């Protein structure tokens, strides 16, 4: 059986950028996620939203990726938000105490409205 993969899609919504991640985010797929998210951040959007609704497996590697992205986004002055994290993602965020490290929104539209896009 082939290893599960991580799919990424990046969408411009006005001056904001939305990265949609789907599949599994763990050691074997972390590089794919990192590449996509770093490219999105390099655009220096007015808001970087990471849609995690379709993430099935989320491990500490995924959390570390998001924490590193948060630090880079902060250094570049780009607000980073999470959109509709799956149950598995929320479980890791809450268990590790990292839930308060991110602004979380139910929809992309809600996040964009909050940041005046």
């Amino acid at each position: 059986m082939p290893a599960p993969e991580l799919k990424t899609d990046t969408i411009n919504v006005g001056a904001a950028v939305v990265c949609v991640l789907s599949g599994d985010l763990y050691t074997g797929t972390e590089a794919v996620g990192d590449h996509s998210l770093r490219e999105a951040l390099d655009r220096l959007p007015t808001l970087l939203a990471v849609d995690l609704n379709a993430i099935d497996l989320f491990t500490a590697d995924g959390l570390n990726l998001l924490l590193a992205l948060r630090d880079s986004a902060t250094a570049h002055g780009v607000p980073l938000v999470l959109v509709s994290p799956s149950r598995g993602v929320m479980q890791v965020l809450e268990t590790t105490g990292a839930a308060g490290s991110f602004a979380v929104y139910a929809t992309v539209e809600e996040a964009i409205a909050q940041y005046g896009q």
Side-chain angles (χ1 to χ4, degrees):
M1 180 160 137
E5 49 185 275
L6 178 70
K7 295 181 180 162
T8 66
D9 191 20
T10 304
I11 305 160
N12 292 321
V13 180
V17 172
V18 179
C19 287
V20 180
L21 304 182
S22 58
D24 298 340
L25 186 50
Y26 66 104
T27 301
T29 61
E30 168 185 26
V32 172
D34 184 58
H35 178 76
S36 179
L37 294 169
R38 297 286 170 186
E39 278 190 343
L41 180 58
D42 286 347
R43 297 179 189 181
L44 297 177
T46 57
L47 174 68
L48 177 54
V50 182
D51 185 327
L52 300 167
N53 183 54
I55 291 292
D56 298 318
L57 173 68
F58 186 77
T59 67
D61 299 298
L63 174 60
N64 289 334
L65 175 64
L66 291 180
L67 290 169
L69 178 66
R70 179 202 60 192
D71 293 345
S72 294
T74 298
H76 286 89
V78 175
L80 171 69
V81 300
L82 305 183
V83 174
S84 189
S86 68
R87 178 177 292 185
V89 172
M90 282 308 298
Q91 199 168 36
V92 170
L93 291 174
E94 290 169 356
T95 300
T96 60
S101 298
F102 299 96
V104 177
Y105 294 92
T107 66
V108 169
E109 294 77 16
E110 183 182 308
I112 290 173
Q114 182 67 33
Y115 286 85
Q117 302 297 312

